[in-house]
Amino acid sequence: MSTSSCSFEDRCVSILCCKFCKQVLSSRGMKAVLLADTEIDLFSTDIPPTNAVDFIGRCYFTEICKCKLKDIACLKCGNIVGYHVIVPCCSCLLSCNNGHFWMFHSQAVYDINRLDATGVNFLLWGNLPEIEENTDEDTLDISAEECIR
Ligand SMILES: [Zn+2]
Ligand SMILES: [Zn+2]
C-alpha cells in the first residue's frame, strides 16, 4: 500500500495561522506539494483541523484536474482560508501528495516554523509524531492502487 515514494522528512513543520484573526489553524502545516494548481502558493496539512475550520459552500471541481474540493473557513472570523480535497483524482493520488488533503491559501494564512523539543532547531516532518491531534473523523480511505490499473 505504498501511495508515495516521496520523502518529506527533511522539510520544516509550520504552524499555520489565519491572516485575518491570527487564529492557529494547524500545528502541522507544510509548504504544499500541489495537487491541482501549480501556479498558486499553498500550505497543506495531513490532519483535519476540525477545531479551527469548517466547511463552507458546496463541493466543486478544479479546472485543472478531477479533484473534488470544498472550501474551508476559519471558525473564528469566517473567512475562507483554503479547501479540502474531498475526493482526489487519480493523477493527484499518484503524484507526490503524502496524504496532505487539506490546503490553505497563502493569501489567507501565514506560517511560523515550528521548533522541536529543544526549542532551538526547526521541527522536521521526519521527527513529527504520527498522531498528535484529534483524528477520529474525516479520515480519508483512499487507495491509489485503484488508479494504477
Ligand atoms: Zn486532482
Ligand atoms: Zn480567522
Side-chain angles (χ1 to χ4, degrees):
M1 295 291 273
S2 69
T3 51
S4 167
S5 57
C6 309
S7 171
F8 295 86
E9 295 188 353
D10 57 348
R11 302 183 60 156
C12 288
V13 182
S14 304
I15 298 169
L16 303 179
C17 304
C18 176
K19 268 189 186 171
F20 307 100
C21 69
K22 302 195 165 53
Q23 170 79 19
V24 174
L25 300 175
S26 173
S27 57
R28 43 190 295 155
M30 184 170 70
K31 281 237 166 63
V33 173
L34 294 173
L35 293 181
D37 190 334
T38 51
E39 303 288 305
I40 300 170
D41 259 0
L42 291 170
F43 300 104
S44 67
T45 185
D46 57 343
I47 288 184
T50 44
N51 296 321
V53 300
D54 204 359
F55 290 115
I56 188 165
R58 290 165 175 262
C59 298
Y60 58 94
F61 291 89
T62 68
E63 294 185 358
I64 296 115
C65 67
K66 299 274 167 32
C67 283
K68 190 176 182 184
L69 312 177
K70 195 163 191 180
D71 284 333
I72 51 176
C74 172
L75 270 184
K76 199 170 168 195
C77 68
N79 284 294
I80 291 175
V81 292
Y83 61 85
H84 173 44
V85 181
I86 294 176
V87 185
C89 70
C90 286
S91 64
C92 289
L93 266 185
L94 292 178
S95 73
C96 182
N97 64 56
N98 201 31
H100 283 224
F101 292 114
W102 297 81
M103 301 296 169
F104 296 92
H105 302 305
S106 59
Q107 316 96 282
V109 302
Y110 61 94
D111 65 316
I112 303 165
N113 283 329
R114 192 167 153 187
L115 300 178
D116 68 11
T118 67
V120 179
N121 303 310
F122 292 143
L123 182 62
L124 303 178
W125 276 89
N127 303 326
L128 194 62
E130 279 284 306
I131 302 290
E132 59 174 358
E133 289 176 41
N134 177 13
T135 56
D136 57 13
E137 54 183 308
D138 274 334
T139 7
L140 287 172
D141 183 20
I142 297 161
S143 162
E145 297 186 1
E146 287 176 30
C147 301
I148 297 173
R149 293 182 207 134

